[in-house]
Structure formats: C-alpha cells, structure tokens
Amino acid sequence: MFSFREVLSAIQSYGKAHQFIMQHKLWKWILIPGIIYCLLFFTGFYFVWGYSGDFVEYLTRLLHITEWVQDLESSWVSFLFILVAFSVRIVFVFWYFSYFKYLFLIVASPVFSYLSEKTEAILEYREFPFSWAQLGQDIWRGIRMSFRNIVYQTGAILILLVVSFIPVVGWITPMIGFFIESYFYGFSMMDYSCERHRLTMAQSIQFIRQHRGMALGNGMVFYVFMLVPVAGWMLAPSYAVIAATIDLQHKKLI
C-alpha cells in the first residue's frame, strides 16, 4: 500500500520546484537537458517510424499476406490490412515512447545527478565534494538501476496486456498501466538522492518501496508533463529531479 499524503506531497513538490528554479536561476540546467531530450527524441522517432514500416512490409511479404490481399480484390480487406499494419507501427511507437525516457535518463544521468546534488546543496547550505571516480560509479549504478526498472516495468505491462483481454476487468488496465509507469519513473527520480547518500541498490529499492507514494506522485506529474509536446518534454525531466530532491529533504535516508 501507499500513503495518499505522500502522493499529494510529491505532487505539491513540483510547485516548490518551480519556485526553487526561479529563485536560484537554474534555467540553464532545465533547458539544456530539455533541448538534448527533444533532439534525441525526434531523431529516435524518425528511425523507429521508418524501420517499423520496413518491418511490417518485410513481415507481410514473408507471410505472403500482400499477395493474398491483392488476390481477394476486396476494398474492405484492403482497408483492414492497412489498419492492422498501421496499428502495428503505432505499437512500436508506443513502446518507443515508454522506453525512450529510460534511455534518456541513462544518457543524461551525469546532468541529473549533478542537478539533484546542486538542489540539495542549496537547500542545506553545504557542498558535496566532486570526484570523477565517484561520478563514474554513480553513472554505472544509474544504468544498472534503469535496466532493472525496465525489466520490472516490462514484466508488469506484459501481464497487464494479457489481463486486458478479460471482459470488464480489462477496461481498467490502461489506468493500472499509467500507475505502473508513473511509479517506475518516480522511482528513477528519487534514486538520484539515494545514490548521493551512498545507499546500495538494495537499500535504495527498499527505501523507495517504503515511500512508494512519493514515487507514484512524482511519476504521475512527470507522465502528465510528458504528454505536452516539446514544452513538457523539455521541462519534465529536470523538474521531476528537483521535485523529488525537495520532497526527500526531510526524509531520513536509511
């Protein structure tokens, strides 16, 4: 179970994050990752959309579906074939949308680790010693944690996909999927603080599970942010990191 108070606190922390960014003029740390995100996203989308079309075409030729549809000479079958082919490409795009965020969190982990550290340093009027060796270890740990979350999220989504075919029960699977993705995104944002306080992966996982409401609330706002083209993509990652750091300020990290 999770605490609704923690969910609400995590949501409200985005407002505090905005005030914090304005007060301390952190816009360059917001815009630079945001611009990089957009450039990588559009580049990846271009290739995913193109190669998904090539994959569908290859599959239909391999299974001789194209010839079968042409032989039938039915406009309805042709329309259905086009609709199914388009749906397959949309599925590819959906998976891309879902997992690109993790890819970006891996690529931009040095920036987000620093941003979380800078936020806490300002809040607590202290400085954290910088070490290239420690930075390398933190990046490697972040990559491992991201892949761990990808595996768990994929497993949960695949189970939901099977459940979605069950009448009535399947109707609520999109909402459950939203909560699952939100939780894992919030998990990633909270882990930057856990990482800085030298929690092992096992300790970080245990801590975030104990405060899953915070992860869920943070990830929900992040997810909604990401639905806003360009502006949301540019602001969401950095805002989520700062919001999670602020929300964790008064929590005792084990």
Side-chain angles (χ1 to χ4, degrees), residues 27-48:
W27 284 111
K28 68 178 180 179
W29 296 107
I30 306 300
L31 296 178
I32 292 174
I35 292 171
I36 295 173
Y37 181 97
C38 289
L39 291 174
L40 291 176
F41 177 83
F42 284 117
T43 301
F45 179 81
Y46 172 80
F47 285 106
V48 168

Side-chain angles (χ1 to χ4, degrees), residues 6 8 19 29 34 40 71 86 112 120 150 156 164-165 171 198 202 222 234:
E6 286 191 338
L8 182 59
Q19 295 175 356
W29 296 107
L40 291 176
D71 291 341
F86 181 77
F112 292 140
E120 186 169 334
I150 287 173
S164 67
F165 290 100
W171 296 349
R198 304 293 173 254
F222 175 77
M234 292 185 67

Side-chain angles (χ1 to χ4, degrees), residues 115-226:
L115 183 58
S116 179
E117 179 181 301
K118 186 175 182 66
T119 300
E120 186 169 334
I122 293 172
L123 289 171
E124 299 188 358
Y125 303 100
R126 58 180 291 197
E127 291 293 333
F128 291 90
F130 178 79
S131 167
W132 284 106
Q134 187 60 53
L135 178 63
Q137 293 176 17
D138 291 346
I139 292 172
W140 174 238
R141 180 187 183 283
I143 291 172
R144 289 162 56 205
M145 187 66 84
S146 293
F147 276 111
R148 180 259 181 198
N149 287 346
I150 287 173
V151 171
Y152 274 75
Q153 179 178 320
T154 300
I157 294 298
L158 289 176
I159 292 172
L160 273 183
L161 186 62
V162 174
V163 174
S164 67
F165 290 100
I166 301 176
V168 183
V169 178
W171 296 349
I172 64 172
T173 54
M175 182 176 64
I176 298 174
F178 165 73
F179 289 137
I180 289 174
E181 288 201 49
S182 295
Y183 170 74
F184 282 110
Y185 293 144
F187 188 117
S188 298
M189 301 308 172
M190 291 174 65
D191 187 55
Y192 290 113
S193 292
C194 296
E195 174 185 81
R196 183 170 54 262
H197 287 271
R198 304 293 173 254
L199 270 66
T200 65
M201 285 184 59
Q203 289 174 325
S204 182
I205 292 168
Q206 179 184 356
F207 175 81
I208 296 173
R209 281 177 177 170
Q210 290 173 349
H211 301 282
R212 56 174 61 92
M214 296 175 66
L216 181 60
N218 182 281
M220 286 169 62
V221 181
F222 175 77
Y223 193 103
V224 173
F225 247 116
M226 297 301 291

Side-chain angles (χ1 to χ4, degrees), residues 55-74:
F55 172 77
V56 170
E57 184 177 354
Y58 169 77
L59 194 63
T60 54
R61 291 182 183 276
L62 181 66
L63 300 176
H64 304 289
I65 296 176
T66 305
E67 293 86 345
W68 177 73
V69 171
Q70 291 174 345
D71 291 341
L72 288 177
E73 296 182 350
S74 170

